[in-house]
Amino acid sequence: MTHRSTRRTVLLATGAVTLAAGCSKYGDNSGSGSSSVNASGGQELAKTSEIPVGGGKIFKDQKVVVTQPKKDEFKAFSAICTHQGCTVSTVSGGTINCPCHGSKYHVADGSVAQGPAPKPLPPEQIEVDGNSIRLA
Ligand code: FES
């Protein structure tokens, strides 16, 4: 009876699965004593001149992409790809582009121009105040 029992114990590093969900990065209203705010006080994202007509700009920290499909018409969308959650990386050729699997979204309305993204980028609220673009 030369039966060798080889025991392999594979320890999976569990427990490190942290659902990185509630990163409380949403606190815009940090100061309540704002004295000279002329709009609704949202965080300024950019100057209108920073957003190219027919293109857009990605704000990675805020996870927002702001586009200007036509002159003086500004739109904003979530910068999180609806496929698997990558942050979109470029805006070119009239589309917002995800680097992970090649999804593209139209700058005009966030709709899918090329899959595998299953649905449009959700819109975000912005306010254009003079030459300043703010999160609403
Ligand atoms: S996560 Fe964007 S294309 Fe897959």
Side-chain angles (χ1 to χ4, degrees):
M1 283 195 218
T2 53
H3 226 86
R4 251 189 211 173
S5 68
T6 334
R7 269 198 165 181
R8 282 191 197 161
T9 310
V10 180
L11 291 177
L12 293 177
T14 54
V17 182
T18 47
L19 296 175
C23 302
S24 56
K25 256 193 163 182
Y26 220 77
D28 291 341
N29 303 331
S30 46
S32 56
S34 49
S35 54
S36 63
V37 176
N38 54 2
S40 62
Q43 177 184 2
E44 181 177 274
L45 277 177
K47 300 292 182 197
T48 54
S49 58
E50 294 175 48
I51 314 298
V53 176
K57 186 171 178 182
I58 296 161
F59 300 89
K60 286 194 164 66
D61 287 350
Q62 292 84 3
K63 306 239 184 291
V64 169
V65 53
V66 177
T67 64
Q68 188 176 187
K70 296 178 193 160
K71 186 162 172 36
D72 296 327
E73 180 186 306
F74 295 92
K75 302 274 178 90
F77 308 98
S78 163
I80 305 301
C81 182
T82 59
H83 178 226
Q84 288 185 3
C86 291
T87 303
V88 297
S89 62
T90 58
V91 183
S92 62
T95 58
I96 302 160
N97 310 309
C98 179
C100 290
H101 312 96
S103 290
K104 296 174 187 283
Y105 304 87
H106 293 289
V107 295
D109 57 5
S111 62
V112 176
Q114 177 181 304
K119 54 187 181 180
L121 291 174
E124 294 280 342
Q125 295 299 311
I126 52 169
E127 289 176 353
V128 181
D129 177 26
N131 65 353
S132 173
I133 299 173
R134 300 172 191 278
L135 286 174

